[in-house]
Amino acid sequence: MFKCWLHDYGTDSDHLRIIVDKIVLRCDVKECLLDADSLPTASQFFLLPNTNLSQPTARVNPSSKQLCVGKVPVYTLEAISVVKKEGLCESLLFGHPIVASATRCWKIDWDELERNQLQFTALVQHLSKNNLVLLTKRQSSQSTSSEKSLPLGFFIFFPSQNTLLVKSVASKELVMPLGEMEVKEIPEEIELVKKFCVIKMSSHKIIL
């Protein structure tokens, strides 16, 4: 409950107005996720396809004049479930999506590369055919006591054409508490006006 104080409960003004034909819906808005970028454990919630951009990825050694290239991190994710795509709440997804494809690492044996490609393709096709997404959890090395206390990041994989789209999933450490509004019976007059406005909007031509 300590995260409740982060909400702005001021009622001096509405925060959002949605115009639906002749109706203007006035709303309050709340953040539902903490900004993972602002947390000291932010690196636990993201997969970086390159070396840490906050540090130089390559530098010249002043004594040898040789280029020193940073090492790209390797992450291990554990699949914990498959979820129907329509059952996934998009409000829990955050961060910049990245694309995963079968590796082409030249250090791996050719037969193993080919087998890996086939297995990867089979997974993508299975997810796509059954309208599923893959939920994974980041594994931690837990080599030190401080690492054992770090939160574990969760990631979702969406099937695409021979690739997987990866996005971060908010865990309980990031989810903000949201109060539930009391649901009241809608008067028939308001229901009819709303229905008329929605039907009228469906006939509008949209030019982008």
PDB file of all heavy atoms in Angstrom, residues 89-109:
ATOM      1  N   CYS A  89      -3.368  -8.719 -21.106  1.00  0.00           N
ATOM      2  CA  CYS A  89      -3.713  -7.316 -20.881  1.00  0.00           C
ATOM      3  C   CYS A  89      -2.560  -6.434 -21.360  1.00  0.00           C
ATOM      4  O   CYS A  89      -1.457  -6.485 -20.806  1.00  0.00           O
ATOM      5  CB  CYS A  89      -3.992  -7.066 -19.402  1.00  0.00           C
ATOM      6  SG  CYS A  89      -4.461  -5.364 -19.031  1.00  0.00           S
ATOM      7  N   GLU A  90      -2.802  -5.623 -22.382  1.00  0.00           N
ATOM      8  CA  GLU A  90      -1.736  -4.815 -22.975  1.00  0.00           C
ATOM      9  C   GLU A  90      -1.225  -3.729 -22.037  1.00  0.00           C
ATOM     10  O   GLU A  90      -0.121  -3.213 -22.223  1.00  0.00           O
ATOM     11  CB  GLU A  90      -2.225  -4.186 -24.282  1.00  0.00           C
ATOM     12  CG  GLU A  90      -2.467  -5.201 -25.389  1.00  0.00           C
ATOM     13  CD  GLU A  90      -2.714  -4.539 -26.729  1.00  0.00           C
ATOM     14  OE1 GLU A  90      -2.421  -3.336 -26.852  1.00  0.00           O
ATOM     15  OE2 GLU A  90      -3.191  -5.222 -27.646  1.00  0.00           O
ATOM     16  N   SER A  91      -2.015  -3.371 -21.024  1.00  0.00           N
ATOM     17  CA  SER A  91      -1.568  -2.330 -20.098  1.00  0.00           C
ATOM     18  C   SER A  91      -0.386  -2.795 -19.250  1.00  0.00           C
ATOM     19  O   SER A  91       0.275  -1.987 -18.600  1.00  0.00           O
ATOM     20  CB  SER A  91      -2.721  -1.905 -19.183  1.00  0.00           C
ATOM     21  OG  SER A  91      -3.119  -2.978 -18.339  1.00  0.00           O
ATOM     22  N   LEU A  92      -0.106  -4.098 -19.244  1.00  0.00           N
ATOM     23  CA  LEU A  92       1.010  -4.630 -18.471  1.00  0.00           C
ATOM     24  C   LEU A  92       2.288  -4.745 -19.292  1.00  0.00           C
ATOM     25  O   LEU A  92       3.320  -5.163 -18.778  1.00  0.00           O
ATOM     26  CB  LEU A  92       0.647  -6.008 -17.900  1.00  0.00           C
ATOM     27  CG  LEU A  92      -0.502  -6.033 -16.887  1.00  0.00           C
ATOM     28  CD1 LEU A  92      -0.787  -7.463 -16.442  1.00  0.00           C
ATOM     29  CD2 LEU A  92      -0.180  -5.164 -15.679  1.00  0.00           C
ATOM     30  N   LEU A  93       2.222  -4.386 -20.581  1.00  0.00           N
ATOM     31  CA  LEU A  93       3.402  -4.441 -21.439  1.00  0.00           C
ATOM     32  C   LEU A  93       4.061  -3.073 -21.483  1.00  0.00           C
ATOM     33  O   LEU A  93       3.387  -2.050 -21.515  1.00  0.00           O
ATOM     34  CB  LEU A  93       3.013  -4.881 -22.855  1.00  0.00           C
ATOM     35  CG  LEU A  93       2.255  -6.203 -22.975  1.00  0.00           C
ATOM     36  CD1 LEU A  93       1.978  -6.517 -24.435  1.00  0.00           C
ATOM     37  CD2 LEU A  93       3.019  -7.337 -22.321  1.00  0.00           C
ATOM     38  N   PHE A  94       5.375  -3.040 -21.480  1.00  0.00           N
ATOM     39  CA  PHE A  94       6.070  -1.752 -21.498  1.00  0.00           C
ATOM     40  C   PHE A  94       7.435  -1.916 -22.143  1.00  0.00           C
ATOM     41  O   PHE A  94       7.899  -3.024 -22.410  1.00  0.00           O
ATOM     42  CB  PHE A  94       6.223  -1.199 -20.074  1.00  0.00           C
ATOM     43  CG  PHE A  94       7.154  -1.997 -19.196  1.00  0.00           C
ATOM     44  CD1 PHE A  94       8.472  -1.611 -19.016  1.00  0.00           C
ATOM     45  CD2 PHE A  94       6.717  -3.142 -18.550  1.00  0.00           C
ATOM     46  CE1 PHE A  94       9.332  -2.334 -18.208  1.00  0.00           C
ATOM     47  CE2 PHE A  94       7.567  -3.878 -17.735  1.00  0.00           C
ATOM     48  CZ  PHE A  94       8.875  -3.474 -17.568  1.00  0.00           C
ATOM     49  N   GLY A  95       8.074  -0.780 -22.368  1.00  0.00           N
ATOM     50  CA  GLY A  95       9.425  -0.801 -22.919  1.00  0.00           C
ATOM     51  C   GLY A  95       9.435  -0.904 -24.435  1.00  0.00           C
ATOM     52  O   GLY A  95       8.405  -1.086 -25.083  1.00  0.00           O
ATOM     53  N   HIS A  96      10.622  -0.778 -24.988  1.00  0.00           N
ATOM     54  CA  HIS A  96      10.782  -0.867 -26.431  1.00  0.00           C
ATOM     55  C   HIS A  96      10.842  -2.336 -26.849  1.00  0.00           C
ATOM     56  O   HIS A  96      11.649  -3.096 -26.322  1.00  0.00           O
ATOM     57  CB  HIS A  96      12.064  -0.158 -26.873  1.00  0.00           C
ATOM     58  CG  HIS A  96      12.054   1.304 -26.584  1.00  0.00           C
ATOM     59  ND1 HIS A  96      11.278   2.192 -27.293  1.00  0.00           N
ATOM     60  CD2 HIS A  96      12.714   2.036 -25.652  1.00  0.00           C
ATOM     61  CE1 HIS A  96      11.463   3.409 -26.820  1.00  0.00           C
ATOM     62  NE2 HIS A  96      12.320   3.343 -25.827  1.00  0.00           N
ATOM     63  N   PRO A  97       9.993  -2.735 -27.780  1.00  0.00           N
ATOM     64  CA  PRO A  97      10.024  -4.134 -28.219  1.00  0.00           C
ATOM     65  C   PRO A  97      11.294  -4.436 -29.001  1.00  0.00           C
ATOM     66  O   PRO A  97      11.855  -3.565 -29.659  1.00  0.00           O
ATOM     67  CB  PRO A  97       8.785  -4.248 -29.116  1.00  0.00           C
ATOM     68  CG  PRO A  97       8.549  -2.855 -29.616  1.00  0.00           C
ATOM     69  CD  PRO A  97       8.972  -1.941 -28.497  1.00  0.00           C
ATOM     70  N   ILE A  98      11.742  -5.654 -28.889  1.00  0.00           N
ATOM     71  CA  ILE A  98      12.876  -6.104 -29.688  1.00  0.00           C
ATOM     72  C   ILE A  98      12.469  -7.378 -30.418  1.00  0.00           C
ATOM     73  O   ILE A  98      11.474  -8.016 -30.063  1.00  0.00           O
ATOM     74  CB  ILE A  98      14.133  -6.355 -28.827  1.00  0.00           C
ATOM     75  CG1 ILE A  98      13.861  -7.444 -27.785  1.00  0.00           C
ATOM     76  CG2 ILE A  98      14.611  -5.085 -28.165  1.00  0.00           C
ATOM     77  CD1 ILE A  98      15.089  -7.821 -26.979  1.00  0.00           C
ATOM     78  N   VAL A  99      13.189  -7.719 -31.438  1.00  0.00           N
ATOM     79  CA  VAL A  99      12.865  -8.885 -32.253  1.00  0.00           C
ATOM     80  C   VAL A  99      13.909  -9.969 -32.020  1.00  0.00           C
ATOM     81  O   VAL A  99      15.113  -9.710 -32.074  1.00  0.00           O
ATOM     82  CB  VAL A  99      12.810  -8.519 -33.752  1.00  0.00           C
ATOM     83  CG1 VAL A  99      12.622  -9.765 -34.601  1.00  0.00           C
ATOM     84  CG2 VAL A  99      11.676  -7.526 -34.009  1.00  0.00           C
ATOM     85  N   ALA A 100      13.452 -11.181 -31.758  1.00  0.00           N
ATOM     86  CA  ALA A 100      14.342 -12.326 -31.567  1.00  0.00           C
ATOM     87  C   ALA A 100      14.239 -13.248 -32.777  1.00  0.00           C
ATOM     88  O   ALA A 100      13.146 -13.520 -33.266  1.00  0.00           O
ATOM     89  CB  ALA A 100      13.965 -13.090 -30.294  1.00  0.00           C
ATOM     90  N   SER A 101      15.359 -13.678 -33.253  1.00  0.00           N
ATOM     91  CA  SER A 101      15.397 -14.622 -34.372  1.00  0.00           C
ATOM     92  C   SER A 101      16.435 -15.692 -34.069  1.00  0.00           C
ATOM     93  O   SER A 101      17.260 -15.532 -33.170  1.00  0.00           O
ATOM     94  CB  SER A 101      15.737 -13.901 -35.684  1.00  0.00           C
ATOM     95  OG  SER A 101      16.990 -13.249 -35.587  1.00  0.00           O
ATOM     96  N   ALA A 102      16.395 -16.775 -34.814  1.00  0.00           N
ATOM     97  CA  ALA A 102      17.355 -17.862 -34.589  1.00  0.00           C
ATOM     98  C   ALA A 102      18.776 -17.353 -34.820  1.00  0.00           C
ATOM     99  O   ALA A 102      19.042 -16.614 -35.763  1.00  0.00           O
ATOM    100  CB  ALA A 102      17.043 -19.024 -35.522  1.00  0.00           C
ATOM    101  N   THR A 103      19.683 -17.760 -33.953  1.00  0.00           N
ATOM    102  CA  THR A 103      21.049 -17.249 -34.016  1.00  0.00           C
ATOM    103  C   THR A 103      21.783 -17.710 -35.275  1.00  0.00           C
ATOM    104  O   THR A 103      21.494 -18.770 -35.835  1.00  0.00           O
ATOM    105  CB  THR A 103      21.850 -17.685 -32.778  1.00  0.00           C
ATOM    106  OG1 THR A 103      23.149 -17.091 -32.829  1.00  0.00           O
ATOM    107  CG2 THR A 103      22.003 -19.197 -32.729  1.00  0.00           C
ATOM    108  N   ARG A 104      22.728 -16.872 -35.675  1.00  0.00           N
ATOM    109  CA  ARG A 104      23.618 -17.217 -36.784  1.00  0.00           C
ATOM    110  C   ARG A 104      25.070 -17.203 -36.312  1.00  0.00           C
ATOM    111  O   ARG A 104      25.994 -16.994 -37.107  1.00  0.00           O
ATOM    112  CB  ARG A 104      23.433 -16.232 -37.936  1.00  0.00           C
ATOM    113  CG  ARG A 104      22.035 -16.257 -38.547  1.00  0.00           C
ATOM    114  CD  ARG A 104      21.899 -15.252 -39.666  1.00  0.00           C
ATOM    115  NE  ARG A 104      20.564 -15.246 -40.254  1.00  0.00           N
ATOM    116  CZ  ARG A 104      20.173 -14.431 -41.222  1.00  0.00           C
ATOM    117  NH1 ARG A 104      21.030 -13.538 -41.704  1.00  0.00           N
ATOM    118  NH2 ARG A 104      18.956 -14.487 -41.701  1.00  0.00           N
ATOM    119  N   CYS A 105      25.275 -17.445 -35.042  1.00  0.00           N
ATOM    120  CA  CYS A 105      26.612 -17.392 -34.455  1.00  0.00           C
ATOM    121  C   CYS A 105      27.554 -18.358 -35.171  1.00  0.00           C
ATOM    122  O   CYS A 105      27.293 -19.562 -35.241  1.00  0.00           O
ATOM    123  CB  CYS A 105      26.536 -17.725 -32.969  1.00  0.00           C
ATOM    124  SG  CYS A 105      28.136 -17.753 -32.148  1.00  0.00           S
ATOM    125  N   TRP A 106      28.636 -17.821 -35.662  1.00  0.00           N
ATOM    126  CA  TRP A 106      29.562 -18.643 -36.443  1.00  0.00           C
ATOM    127  C   TRP A 106      30.361 -19.614 -35.584  1.00  0.00           C
ATOM    128  O   TRP A 106      30.983 -20.555 -36.098  1.00  0.00           O
ATOM    129  CB  TRP A 106      30.528 -17.747 -37.225  1.00  0.00           C
ATOM    130  CG  TRP A 106      31.387 -16.857 -36.363  1.00  0.00           C
ATOM    131  CD1 TRP A 106      31.087 -15.604 -35.934  1.00  0.00           C
ATOM    132  CD2 TRP A 106      32.664 -17.167 -35.821  1.00  0.00           C
ATOM    133  NE1 TRP A 106      32.092 -15.091 -35.158  1.00  0.00           N
ATOM    134  CE2 TRP A 106      33.086 -16.037 -35.077  1.00  0.00           C
ATOM    135  CE3 TRP A 106      33.506 -18.279 -35.887  1.00  0.00           C
ATOM    136  CZ2 TRP A 106      34.294 -15.998 -34.398  1.00  0.00           C
ATOM    137  CZ3 TRP A 106      34.719 -18.236 -35.212  1.00  0.00           C
ATOM    138  CH2 TRP A 106      35.103 -17.105 -34.482  1.00  0.00           C
ATOM    139  N   LYS A 107      30.356 -19.433 -34.270  1.00  0.00           N
ATOM    140  CA  LYS A 107      31.107 -20.322 -33.388  1.00  0.00           C
ATOM    141  C   LYS A 107      30.369 -21.632 -33.111  1.00  0.00           C
ATOM    142  O   LYS A 107      30.941 -22.563 -32.555  1.00  0.00           O
ATOM    143  CB  LYS A 107      31.394 -19.616 -32.059  1.00  0.00           C
ATOM    144  CG  LYS A 107      32.337 -18.429 -32.181  1.00  0.00           C
ATOM    145  CD  LYS A 107      32.633 -17.835 -30.818  1.00  0.00           C
ATOM    146  CE  LYS A 107      33.599 -16.655 -30.926  1.00  0.00           C
ATOM    147  NZ  LYS A 107      33.899 -16.071 -29.601  1.00  0.00           N
ATOM    148  N   ILE A 108      29.104 -21.693 -33.490  1.00  0.00           N
ATOM    149  CA  ILE A 108      28.296 -22.887 -33.239  1.00  0.00           C
ATOM    150  C   ILE A 108      28.402 -23.839 -34.422  1.00  0.00           C
ATOM    151  O   ILE A 108      28.452 -23.414 -35.579  1.00  0.00           O
ATOM    152  CB  ILE A 108      26.824 -22.498 -32.990  1.00  0.00           C
ATOM    153  CG1 ILE A 108      26.728 -21.578 -31.764  1.00  0.00           C
ATOM    154  CG2 ILE A 108      25.949 -23.727 -32.795  1.00  0.00           C
ATOM    155  CD1 ILE A 108      25.329 -21.096 -31.470  1.00  0.00           C
ATOM    156  N   ASP A 109      28.431 -25.125 -34.117  1.00  0.00           N
ATOM    157  CA  ASP A 109      28.516 -26.151 -35.154  1.00  0.00           C
ATOM    158  C   ASP A 109      27.358 -26.008 -36.145  1.00  0.00           C
ATOM    159  O   ASP A 109      26.232 -25.688 -35.759  1.00  0.00           O
ATOM    160  CB  ASP A 109      28.481 -27.535 -34.500  1.00  0.00           C
ATOM    161  CG  ASP A 109      28.549 -28.652 -35.520  1.00  0.00           C
ATOM    162  OD1 ASP A 109      29.627 -28.899 -36.068  1.00  0.00           O
ATOM    163  OD2 ASP A 109      27.475 -29.258 -35.775  1.00  0.00           O
TER     164      ASP A 109
END
